[in-house]
Amino acid sequence: MQHVHLKFGSIQIHAQRVCRGLLLCALWLASTAAVAAPLRAQWSFRLLPGDAQLQTHPGMDAWKQATVPGSVHTDLLAAGLIGDPYVGAAEAGLQWIGLADWEYRARFDVDAASLARPHAELRFDGLDTFAEVRLNGEPLLKADNAHRTWRARVDGRLRAQGNELQIVFRSPIRTLLPQVQAMPHKIAGNYPSPYGDEPKDAMVGNFVRKPAYHFGWDWGPRYVTAGVWRQVHLDSWDQQRITDLAVRTDALDADKANLSVQLQVEQADKAGTQQVVIDVRDPDGKTVAQIKRDVALAPGENNLSLPLQIDKPRRWWPVGYGAQDRYTVQARLGEGKQSALESSIRIGLRTVQLQREEDKDGGQGFGFVINGVPVFAKGANVIPFDAFPARVTRERLRRDLQAARDANMNMLRNWGGGYYEDDAFFDIADELGLLVWQDFMFGGGMQPGYAPAFRANVVAEARDNIRRLRHHPSIVLWCGNNEEETAWKDWGHGKTLKEADPVFAAKVWQGYVDLFGKDLRSVVAEEGLGVPYWASSPSNDLDTKANDSRRGDKHYWEVWGNPALPPTAYLKETPRFMSEYGLQAWPQLSTINAFATPEEQRVDGPVIEAHQKFLAGKGNERLLHYIEMEFGTPRSFPDFVYLSQMMQAEGIELAALHHRASRPYTMGSLYWQLNDVWPGASWSSVDYYGNWKALNFHARRFFADVAVAALRDEGSTRFSLLNDGRAEVQGQWRVRVLDFDGRELQQQRRPISLPAMSATEVARFSDAELLQGADPSRSVAVFELLRGDAVVAQRLVYFVAAKQQALQPAQLHSELRAEGDHYLLQLRADRLVRGIWIGFTNADASVEDNAFDLLPGQTRTLVVRSTAPLSTLRSALHLQTLGDTLQSRPVASQDNASVERIH
């Protein structure tokens, strides 16, 4: 155990918050007020009497029980007033909900102790969105931002029994539409509604501070919901309360951490003296320091800075680079242990830099340096975990974040079209060592940044959320928005508006620069404890070009998006940091069964199309385009699902390995996307119910610290070995060429030393060198890294598309047996077997690996976990391979089959 020694300097009291620092550790807790507790109340809701929607939905103005936190959609579902929004094609029939005004009511009592305190406040952590709040019949506040924390003093306005809180939520569409329609020239929105609830030429989503995805996205439904989506608290206190606690890192290395504990105390109307006590506990829970000081407090806000030093600090590292050690810092006022006057946070000691070195050829890098160590970012983008955020549990967050870590990811990008995640998300990310790129909540289109009131609202929102989250060591970047700069510069948004009204266009762009180039940058500098700011993704931080492979971060959608290039095009795109790229796939059949009956499961069926939200490219047609490139046309809907997953996994693997092999020029690869908002087709690698698609299994291999990147394009294979570890790796590389029966055609083997945190190109081979006259449709090249005779990493390279290969059915043999508290599944391949997918029909079982190939004669034994008996699992076991799937389809007819055949 390391010895920890702390030295404390004198207390400094500042008139303004001390929060600027170039180096960061982490920790703050926003507003832990006096006695703060969730409001205990009986909640109910109704359609507001007199609302126009009552004409078609009579009786909805009767009070029904509500759940807080929650939303109007989930409350309507719980009351039996609507069907499940995720089942069938329900979306079109539920759009009326977003056009209505809704009323919520809470009835509650207040205990004597809280009533006796002279100061009280109601705190609303999430009101969605245009809300008018009254307490006991009197106006309390008006809210217009779902992302903010809203507070209202209620001193002297509470009674012991029978308090009533009323909240009216106005439809954001009806509230904003007249203003938007009155604009002579519109600024670009995101996704127009296909349902007629909002004109396609007057979208309101980018004018309201509400989760943008509620208005629909290309992976999720349009449910414009409303409600009390986060907790309501009643806070009460006497003379003081702690309103903020943070720890700023002023200097940090392996020998010493110079820190400043920043404490904000609100003092009542009279000046006074109070004792401040700070306790510091190490990652093992041992108290290693205590500060006690008497301080003079003036009325109002008091900002205190208490310097301290830790010798031999235990730093927080991203996964794969070291431990995720965290300290606990507790502040309290006075000697007592009243929770009213305490605040506690967990901090991780680490520094973060965004490295942007200039190249001789005019390029500029983009990479993260943590504790002085360059980190290649491996991971995915994260979207909201549900259309209705209050339904997201800590368990679901852990499930999906654990899936990311299990797939050897070290970074997640929290995309800007959703909401600022709950503290639980970041607690888990801290624990798992996952770095977080955090967007501000702007998902696309263009914002009315030219309006001072809009910008002021956003600044308040940013300050609320940075203060709430900045103590988390996982957060390493605050980014202004998603794709707004590139939309303006590259998609025609700016050009169209300039042609229509150049004066207004200039005003819109200046508003953008003011909001994302100045306002948010300033808030991050003031409040973010040294975490870097980035204006947009993709961008080079307001440089001339927005989406540049040579400078800044890159979104690449020419594969999948237009012009729908083949996945090999990934190998021709070498960015400095790839923050978005992706291919779609459908989730497994058990997930599809949750919303579509077997009869509805047709590629062109209404329910399936309702859960395919990539409307711009006719998603299933685009998916077939990619499936047919490699595999031909599927014979059935289950084959369509299976082949979509194989295509997605193999395509993204190609891109990710190329990015990794391009280190250090490229320093990040974040595919789109990790998770799902609902059950349906998407770019995710983990579906809505937590099932891993083939992509997540592949990611565990292609993101492994030590991996093989053998990348074939245009008849040539570039062979590189990857080592993201912090230690050198000694071994041998081996290249073998086999036929599908297992006969070895040639072998090469050489010793190699892989430097730490490196990509090493070993060789380049032409097809002619590898095949030496062998049949490309019956041959495979095996690229490996060995330690002794043990295979450390492996990648197989094929010479023709799968639909042209001589793959055979029934080449895989299996045996399932019990072994202690689990089962073992043994698989043996007679000949080459590609694309093995292990499933258990109507049985709950998990298998340790999936979506892999077996070489001729190879055997693998996998752990299977299930509570089902062995006989049930044996009956449920279903193995699918490419040889079985493609077996009886002549190549000449594959690409001519019609979509209608897939059902």
Side-chain angles (χ1 to χ4, degrees), residues 17 27-31 242-247 261-264 278 329-331 343-345 467 470-471:
R17 173 184 305 276
L27 260 176
W28 297 71
L29 182 63
S31 295
I242 297 173
T243 53
D244 215 346
L245 171 63
V247 179
V261 177
Q262 307 292 326
L263 187 65
Q264 186 178 84
I278 305 291
V329 178
Q330 183 185 59
S343 181
S344 180
I345 53 176
R467 288 185 177 185
R470 61 188 163 184
H471 63 281

Side-chain angles (χ1 to χ4, degrees), residues 470-490:
R470 61 188 163 184
H471 63 281
H472 292 283
S474 54
I475 298 177
V476 294
L477 186 71
W478 288 96
C479 178
N481 65 70
N482 171 78
E483 295 188 341
E484 294 195 1
E485 185 179 340
T486 191
W488 180 264
K489 293 179 176 179
D490 305 326

Side-chain angles (χ1 to χ4, degrees), residues 653-827:
E653 180 168 7
L654 202 64
L657 288 174
H658 170 60
H659 301 152
R660 293 189 63 190
S662 303
R663 179 179 183 157
Y665 184 87
T666 302
M667 284 302 292
S669 182
L670 308 180
Y671 65 73
W672 187 271
Q673 63 207 62
L674 175 69
N675 62 306
D676 273 338
V677 73
W678 78 328
S682 81
W683 297 262
S684 72
S685 60
V686 178
D687 78 19
Y688 179 76
Y689 297 109
N691 302 304
W692 287 25
K693 293 181 182 176
L695 173 55
N696 221 63
F697 289 101
H698 276 242
R700 187 163 61 188
R701 298 188 282 270
F702 64 65
F703 279 153
D705 279 353
V706 177
V708 173
L711 305 172
R712 180 182 176 276
D713 187 29
E714 297 181 344
S716 178
T717 299
R718 178 165 61 107
F719 178 25
S720 300
L721 293 174
L722 314 174
N723 176 23
D724 278 355
R726 298 182 67 184
E728 183 181 69
V729 172
Q730 300 284 344
Q732 294 179 312
W733 63 262
R734 181 172 70 179
V735 178
R736 296 179 290 156
V737 181
L738 310 175
D739 69 15
F740 285 5
D741 292 317
R743 184 167 62 95
E744 186 173 281
L745 305 179
Q746 67 155 307
Q747 181 179 146
Q748 300 181 49
R749 184 166 174 158
R750 302 284 188 278
I752 193 166
S753 175
L754 303 180
M757 299 184 293
S758 70
T760 304
E761 183 172 319
V762 174
R764 297 195 181 207
F765 298 97
S766 68
D767 286 358
E769 290 175 291
L770 292 171
L771 288 169
Q772 296 182 356
D775 184 350
S777 70
R778 299 175 181 273
S779 303
V780 57
V782 184
F783 294 83
E784 295 169 313
L785 176 66
L786 307 175
R787 282 180 181 157
D789 291 327
V791 177
V792 176
Q794 179 188 83
R795 178 165 166 78
L796 307 185
V797 171
Y798 301 103
F799 299 97
V800 296
K803 62 186 178 182
Q804 298 169 322
Q805 289 182 324
L807 298 171
Q808 297 295 318
Q811 298 301 309
L812 186 63
H813 304 280
S814 65
E815 179 187 350
L816 183 64
R817 65 180 187 272
E819 184 80 14
D821 63 349
H822 59 273
Y823 301 99
L824 293 179
L825 175 64
Q826 186 179 78
L827 301 176

Side-chain angles (χ1 to χ4, degrees), residues 2-255:
Q2 294 174 315
H3 177 67
V4 180
H5 178 64
L6 298 103
K7 298 176 182 177
F8 304 101
S10 60
I11 297 177
Q12 303 167 14
I13 301 179
H14 301 272
Q16 296 182 349
R17 173 184 305 276
V18 179
C19 54
R20 297 173 180 85
L22 297 178
L23 295 176
L24 167 71
C25 93
L27 260 176
W28 297 71
L29 182 63
S31 295
T32 298
V35 173
L39 184 69
R40 293 185 176 183
Q42 292 180 333
W43 287 90
S44 53
F45 82 110
R46 65 178 177 177
L47 186 62
L48 190 67
D51 191 277
Q53 294 300 320
L54 281 169
Q55 296 178 14
T56 51
H57 300 86
M60 287 285 186
D61 55 350
W63 288 106
K64 299 287 185 181
Q65 182 177 338
T67 299
V68 169
S71 70
V72 64
H73 284 77
T74 52
D75 286 333
L76 288 167
L77 176 63
L81 299 174
I82 63 171
D84 192 322
Y86 291 178
V87 174
E91 192 176 350
L94 298 178
Q95 295 309 306
W96 65 272
I97 299 171
L99 293 171
D101 293 343
W102 298 91
E103 183 178 8
Y104 276 72
R105 180 180 68 190
R107 290 177 171 168
F108 63 98
D109 300 333
V110 180
D111 64 272
S114 296
L115 282 175
R117 297 187 186 96
H119 308 286
E121 178 182 84
L122 277 171
R123 187 177 89 236
F124 302 85
D125 292 340
L127 295 174
D128 183 10
T129 292
F130 291 107
E132 302 159 11
V133 186
R134 300 172 71 88
L135 176 63
N136 294 329
E138 298 295 327
L140 187 65
L141 65 84
K142 287 187 176 181
D144 61 357
N145 189 326
H147 303 300
R148 286 180 61 179
T149 299
W150 296 93
R151 296 176 170 86
R153 293 295 290 262
V154 291
D155 308 349
R157 298 181 61 175
L158 298 171
R159 46 193 184 227
Q161 294 181 327
N163 294 281
E164 185 170 276
L165 191 66
Q166 295 169 292
I167 310 175
V168 172
F169 291 98
R170 302 293 180 181
S171 163
I173 299 172
R174 284 168 41 189
T175 298
L176 291 172
L177 191 56
Q179 304 167 44
V180 176
Q181 287 181 307
M183 296 174 67
H185 301 286
K186 313 294 190 295
I187 57 176
N190 295 316
Y191 289 96
S193 173
Y195 302 114
D197 56 313
E198 178 184 78
K200 292 186 177 182
D201 64 344
M203 291 175 277
V204 306
N206 47 327
F207 291 86
V208 58
R209 297 309 299 143
K210 171 183 175 62
Y213 79 106
H214 283 173
F215 294 89
W217 220 264
D218 58 4
W219 36 252
R222 177 183 175 92
Y223 286 130
V224 184
T225 194
V228 187
W229 75 282
R230 278 186 168 150
Q231 194 59 261
V232 180
H233 292 264
L234 175 60
D235 302 347
S236 61
W237 65 99
D238 293 318
Q239 290 304 306
Q240 304 96 16
R241 62 171 175 168
I242 297 173
T243 53
D244 215 346
L245 171 63
V247 179
R248 191 188 68 222
T249 301
D250 298 314
L252 176 67
D253 57 28
D255 296 320

Side-chain angles (χ1 to χ4, degrees), residues 64 80 259 290 300 304 402 405 465 496 539 570 627 765:
K64 299 287 185 181
L259 311 173
Q290 185 181 77
L304 286 63
Q402 187 68 52
R405 173 162 170 164
N465 285 284
T496 300
S539 77
Y570 284 134
I627 291 171
F765 298 97

Side-chain angles (χ1 to χ4, degrees), residues 449-450 455 509-520:
Y450 51 81
R455 290 214 318 275
W509 177 246
Q510 185 59 50
Y512 176 94
V513 173
D514 289 342
L515 178 57
F516 297 109
K518 299 175 184 177
D519 293 348
L520 289 177

